[in-house]
């Protein structure tokens, strides 16, 4: 473990040792929601809720899929832990409401959340900052499939622009498969993206902090069965293997962390996030896939795994993330 990561773990423990949990007040844990990732959000949220309660926090669940979010005003929450994934929770909408209610919350603010949920906007920002990401094209029903293949090559990836957890994703191996792949993705989202498929190691790198104080946690190498990291293998399969440390040379890990950190900063993220990366097996070059601004907190989730490698357990990580809202300024002061 690097000195920097040891320092992060030590700083977290030091901050928590002096934290008065009563200062956090009445805490709402937003979970469930209305996106295609509802079941994962329920698992994440219930894990977070249990962890906060174990630390003595006055925490309460609030399912935005079952209750109208406007009811949040009546709950008189002092701060919010957002455990929502996907649209209506990770896209800036709930963040905007909390800003209006003047309630501090975990995770990125409105703009960064809205940008990161849009894979096309995210790539445009990364490219404008000189960061590597697979070549891409937005698809429509009238796209010239042969031209798409000529530009991006085969295999290529087709996916909804605003979904996570591999929902609606297809690995296309021939031009004949493109129309069906498009229809699958378009059934979940009005915007569909195709990108060059990078063959190599699948990695993820969690990030914490904000601005110049942001830092990268340990990189995790993901080895799913049949090289298929789909919805099932992400959340339910015990066959998927995770290597942390990755087994790469230190300079390779450092390169991936630097790229992930630059991607996080370019989008203006805060509190925490997770960058998904592919490492090209031919060139050894890392490519950014997407940024998650409300990462999972399930038993199979990756941020807790990296935090543990840096010396911070699940419950402490949850409490630390919530404590970052104590200095947060939100809403309109009038």
């Amino acid at each position: 473990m690097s000195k920097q990561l040891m320092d992060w773990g030590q700083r977290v423990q030091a901050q928590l040792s002096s934290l008065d949990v009563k200062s956090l007040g009445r805490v709402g844990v937003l979970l469930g929601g209305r996106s295609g990732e509802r079941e994962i959000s329920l698992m994440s949220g219930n894990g977070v809720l249990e962890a906060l309660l174990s630390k003595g926090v006055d925490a309460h669940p609030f399912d935005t899929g079952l209750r109208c979010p406007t009811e949040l005003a009546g709950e008189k929450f002092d701060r919010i832990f957002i455990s929502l994934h996907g649209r209506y929770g990770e896209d800036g909408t709930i963040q905007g409401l909390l800003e209006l209610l003047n309630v501090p919350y975990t995770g990125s603010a409105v703009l960064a959340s809205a940008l990161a949920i849009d894979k096309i906007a995210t790539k445009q920002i990364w490219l404008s900052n000189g960061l590597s990401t697979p070549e891409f094209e937005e698809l429509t029903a009238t796209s010239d499939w042969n031209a798409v293949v000529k530009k991006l090559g085969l295999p290529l990836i087709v996916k909804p622009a605003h979904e996570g957890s591999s929902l609606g994703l297809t690995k296309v191996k021939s031009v004949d498969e493109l129309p069906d792949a498009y229809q699958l993705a378009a059934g979940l989202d009005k915007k569909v993206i195709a990108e060059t498929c990078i063959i190599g190691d699948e990695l993820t790198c969690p990030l914490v902090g904000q601005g110049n104080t942001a830092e990268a946690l340990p990189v995790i190498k993901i080895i799913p069965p049949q090289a298929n990291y789909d919805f099932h293998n992400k959340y339910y399969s015990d066959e998927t293997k995770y290597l942390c440390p990755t087994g790469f040379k230190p300079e390779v890990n450092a390169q991936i962390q630097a790229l992930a950190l630059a991607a996080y900063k370019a989008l203006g993220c805060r509190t925490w996030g997770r960058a998904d990366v592919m490492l090209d097996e031919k060139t050894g070059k890392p490519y950014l896939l997407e940024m998650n601004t409300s990462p999972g907190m399930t038993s199979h989730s990756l941020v807790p795994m990296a935090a543990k490698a840096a010396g911070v357990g699940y419950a402490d990580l949850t409490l630390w993330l919530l404590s970052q809202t104590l200095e947060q300024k939100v809403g309109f002061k009038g």
Side-chain angles (χ1 to χ4, degrees), residues 90-289:
E90 198 173 355
D91 60 357
T93 52
I94 201 72
Q95 290 79 4
L97 175 60
L98 294 174
E99 293 278 347
L100 289 170
L101 295 177
N102 215 25
V103 179
Y105 54 91
T106 57
S108 292
V110 178
L111 179 58
S113 298
L115 289 172
I117 197 73
D118 187 325
K119 296 177 177 63
I120 294 173
T122 294
K123 282 176 168 287
Q124 290 169 336
I125 289 174
W126 285 342
L127 289 171
S128 71
N129 281 269
L131 304 178
S132 57
T133 186
E135 193 170 1
F136 72 99
E137 183 171 325
E138 182 175 352
L139 301 182
T140 69
T142 59
S143 289
D144 182 332
W145 307 125
N146 288 302
V148 171
V149 168
K150 184 176 181 180
K151 175 183 178 181
L152 303 180
L154 289 171
L156 57 81
I157 300 296
V158 174
K159 56 188 175 182
H162 298 91
E163 290 287 358
S165 296
S166 300
L167 294 172
L169 182 148
T170 304
K171 183 177 181 179
V172 174
K173 299 178 181 179
S174 72
V175 67
D176 295 337
E177 297 175 4
L178 261 173
D180 286 345
Y182 169 77
Q183 289 299 329
L184 176 65
L188 298 175
D189 197 344
K190 293 180 180 179
K191 292 178 71 174
V192 176
I193 182 174
E195 66 180 7
T196 299
C197 179
I198 305 299
I199 306 299
D201 290 322
E202 190 157 358
L203 314 166
T204 197
C205 182
L207 300 309
V208 292
Q210 181 177 0
N212 292 331
T213 63
E215 52 196 308
L217 296 187
V219 178
I220 299 171
K221 180 178 177 180
I222 303 163
I223 308 176
Q226 290 81 51
N228 181 24
Y229 198 42
D230 61 7
F231 188 89
H232 173 78
N233 288 333
K234 282 185 177 182
Y235 300 110
Y236 296 105
S237 175
D238 291 325
E239 295 182 47
T240 302
K241 297 179 181 179
Y242 303 95
L243 302 184
C244 187
T246 59
F248 297 144
K249 293 180 179 180
E251 56 267 29
V252 176
N253 285 318
Q255 181 186 18
I256 296 162
Q257 288 175 308
L259 179 64
L261 190 56
Y264 182 81
K265 291 180 178 180
L267 294 171
C269 299
R270 72 177 187 197
T271 310
W272 67 326
R274 198 191 76 236
D276 294 334
V277 179
M278 290 298 297
L279 189 65
D280 191 305
E281 65 181 9
K282 293 182 179 179
T283 65
K285 182 178 180 178
Y287 288 86
L288 294 161
L289 297 183

